[in-house]
Amino acid sequence: MSRLLVPPGEGRGLRVRAGTPFKVVDVDGGQVGDLFAFTADDPGEYASASHTRPSTGRLFPRPGQNVLTNLRRPILELVEDNSPGYHDTLYAACDAARYRSLGVDAPHRSCAQNLGESIAALGLPGVVVPQPLNVFMDVRVDSDGEMSSRPASSGAGDHLIFRALLDCYVILSSCPMDIVPISSGGITALAIDVDDQLSTGTAPLRGSAPGGELQPSSRMTA
């Protein structure tokens, strides 16, 4: 078992074989992450929150339900969720325009930038920025349709386990949003735990940035 650490406010990614479980971990607690997945054969096909919601009838899948691509094919299965269970599929990935709209004039990292850098480091062509699965992000919708976000309530070590249903590239961004308080306790690290032998079958995996080699981690059950 190996761990790909996603540094605070940055993104990392790796290729995962169909059938392989992987764990998305909130290392220190209270950190929102943007999770993306692109099919290995065609990065133009990707995990789509807007296509998943009608299939599951929920704002976020329950364990045993699938995440669909923009072509409505299952790409990930949610196997386990030991967090408080608050995750979001309504908010777009933060980007430069979002920060400008919040009054930020200086350059600011974003999940869109993190995705672009991770995709490039994996040697893939440029891709659109899909609406992500915002793991550990607490967004509520009231009976009048009003949305509100709250600081993440996930604790240190809380995790989600997914199983890849297609060969795919998985990218995780530790959301750098520090203007709207969606993460609690500052911007901290996330991690992806994966069985590198199942995922590659050959050499050890490497992450999508310099120094991003996967490191030994604890055993994962799924």
Side-chain angles (χ1 to χ4, degrees), residues 19-39:
T20 303
F22 63 92
K23 182 188 291 186
V24 176
V25 184
D26 187 352
V27 176
D28 296 316
Q31 176 61 43
V32 168
D34 285 28
L35 181 67
F36 305 90
F38 300 83
T39 64

Side-chain angles (χ1 to χ4, degrees), residues 4 11-14 114 117-122 170-171 206-210 212:
L4 178 61
R12 296 290 187 272
L14 72 167
N114 290 344
E117 291 175 353
S118 298
I119 285 290
L122 287 166
V170 173
I171 292 93
R206 288 185 176 272
S208 60

Side-chain angles (χ1 to χ4, degrees), residues 17 21 26 37 53 56 70 72 89 103 106-107 112 121 124-125 133 142 145 150 154 160 172 178 184:
R17 280 188 173 178
D26 187 352
R53 290 191 301 265
T56 61
N70 54 317
R72 300 188 192 276
T89 57
L124 300 176
L133 304 177
D142 68 19
R150 309 180 187 189
S154 48
L160 297 159
L172 179 62
D178 54 3
S184 55

Side-chain angles (χ1 to χ4, degrees), residues 5-12 27-28 31-32 108-111 114 117 172-177 183 185-191:
L5 186 69
V6 182
E10 297 185 19
R12 296 290 187 272
V27 176
D28 296 316
Q31 176 61 43
V32 168
H108 195 292
R109 293 200 67 86
S110 69
C111 288
N114 290 344
E117 291 175 353
L172 179 62
S173 171
S174 169
C175 184
M177 173 57 74
S183 293
I187 307 303
T188 56
L190 298 174

Side-chain angles (χ1 to χ4, degrees), residues 59-213:
L59 293 180
F60 196 87
R62 282 179 172 155
Q65 294 183 318
N66 295 333
V67 176
L68 302 188
T69 72
N70 54 317
L71 299 183
R72 300 188 192 276
R73 292 201 299 163
I75 185 171
L76 303 175
E77 177 192 3
L78 178 58
V79 177
E80 178 179 304
D81 180 3
N82 84 334
S83 77
Y86 294 112
H87 313 283
D88 169 65
T89 57
L90 296 175
Y91 277 57
C94 61
D95 55 20
R98 172 66 169 153
Y99 288 104
R100 287 195 297 271
S101 74
L102 293 171
V104 179
D105 296 325
H108 195 292
R109 293 200 67 86
S110 69
C111 288
Q113 177 186 349
N114 290 344
L115 173 63
E117 291 175 353
S118 298
I119 285 290
L122 287 166
L124 300 176
V127 297
V128 301
V129 180
Q131 187 178 4
L133 304 177
N134 294 309
V135 296
F136 311 121
M137 183 173 178
D138 188 348
V139 174
R140 313 283 180 100
V141 181
D142 68 19
S143 59
D144 293 327
E146 294 287 333
M147 293 195 306
S148 61
S149 62
R150 309 180 187 189
S153 57
S154 48
D158 282 1
H159 67 262
L160 297 159
I161 295 179
F162 293 90
R163 179 177 287 107
L165 301 178
L166 300 170
D167 288 357
C168 59
Y169 293 95
V170 173
I171 292 93
L172 179 62
S173 171
S174 169
C175 184
M177 173 57 74
D178 54 3
I179 310 302
V180 179
I182 59 172
S183 293
S184 55
I187 307 303
T188 56
L190 298 174
I192 301 175
D193 291 344
V194 65
D195 188 323
D196 50 86
Q197 290 186 341
L198 282 176
S199 186
T200 65
T202 53
L205 286 168
R206 288 185 176 272
S208 60
E213 184 173 356

